[in-house]
Amino acid sequence: MEEKSITDDGLFNHNLFIVWKPEYDLGIHIIDEQHKGIVSTINSLFYAMQNKHGENVLKSVIGMVTEYTHIHFDVEEDFLRKCGFSDFKKHQAWHNELRHKLSHEGSKSLWDHNAQEFLDFLKDWWIDHICEKDRIFRDYLLSGA
Ligand SMILES: [Fe+2]
Ligand SMILES: [Fe+2]
């Protein structure tokens, strides 16, 4: 369900592509903040597309999504190493799939090929990662294993 803003008066389209839900929080502050940050950059990309922003703006926002993804993976992996997470390699491999896709195929070329498809892919990937994959280490840490 998309959220409407009070300023959604036809002049500005403020529909959010991904609406953050409280159940997305893992309870690990830096990771939750970064997940919200990534969702925010994806929403900015959607907004830029909807409002037909120019190539320079789009390029910057696509760069933000990509850079933030890399920063988040590095921070999360450092955190998981320090916690001694037993399934670290498997989790890192999931991150590497997206790292590989964004750097080898190139975020900008994925966007140019089909912008809506790229946005849908990012949305699905991140919702699955936040709600399913990252929950695995959260549950592991909570279990005190
Ligand atoms: Fe992760
Ligand atoms: Fe994550």
Side-chain angles (χ1 to χ4, degrees):
M1 188 66 76
E2 284 183 340
E3 194 174 79
K4 291 218 172 199
S5 160
I6 197 162
T7 55
D8 188 46
D9 55 6
L11 281 176
F12 298 99
N13 182 348
H14 283 174
N15 285 346
L16 291 176
F17 185 55
I18 306 172
V19 178
W20 187 265
K21 298 186 179 122
E23 59 262 36
Y24 294 170
D25 281 316
L26 296 176
I28 305 163
H29 297 314
I30 184 63
I31 291 178
D32 288 334
E33 284 305 307
Q34 292 188 346
H35 286 161
K36 283 179 201 158
I38 287 163
V39 163
S40 169
T41 59
I42 296 169
N43 281 335
S44 294
L45 189 54
F46 176 76
Y47 182 86
M49 182 183 78
Q50 291 274 299
N51 290 278
K52 304 187 179 6
H53 286 183
E55 195 71 7
N56 282 348
V57 174
L58 285 169
K59 229 172 145 181
S60 309
V61 186
I62 291 165
M64 277 169 59
V65 173
T66 308
E67 284 302 310
Y68 210 158
T69 295
H70 286 293
I71 290 166
H72 172 62
F73 288 165
D74 289 348
V75 166
E76 195 176 282
E77 287 170 14
D78 184 56
F79 173 81
L80 294 180
R81 264 192 220 101
K82 285 177 179 150
C83 295
F85 178 48
S86 55
D87 256 346
F88 176 81
K89 287 279 169 210
K90 189 175 178 184
H91 199 89
Q92 189 181 42
W94 284 326
H95 288 175
N96 285 343
E97 280 171 24
L98 188 59
R99 279 185 175 112
H100 189 270
K101 190 172 177 73
L102 296 183
S103 57
H104 285 254
E105 293 177 50
S107 306
K108 183 68 171 65
S109 55
L110 288 164
W111 175 266
D112 288 341
H113 174 69
N114 188 326
Q116 188 59 55
E117 198 174 272
F118 183 50
L119 277 165
D120 290 339
F121 163 77
L122 288 174
K123 182 178 184 174
D124 291 347
W125 198 95
W126 279 105
I127 296 295
D128 173 69
H129 205 76
I130 293 168
C131 297
E132 303 292 332
K133 308 289 196 293
D134 283 357
R135 207 146 284 266
I136 296 169
F137 69 70
R138 198 281 304 262
D139 292 347
Y140 169 88
L141 295 175
L142 279 180
S143 75

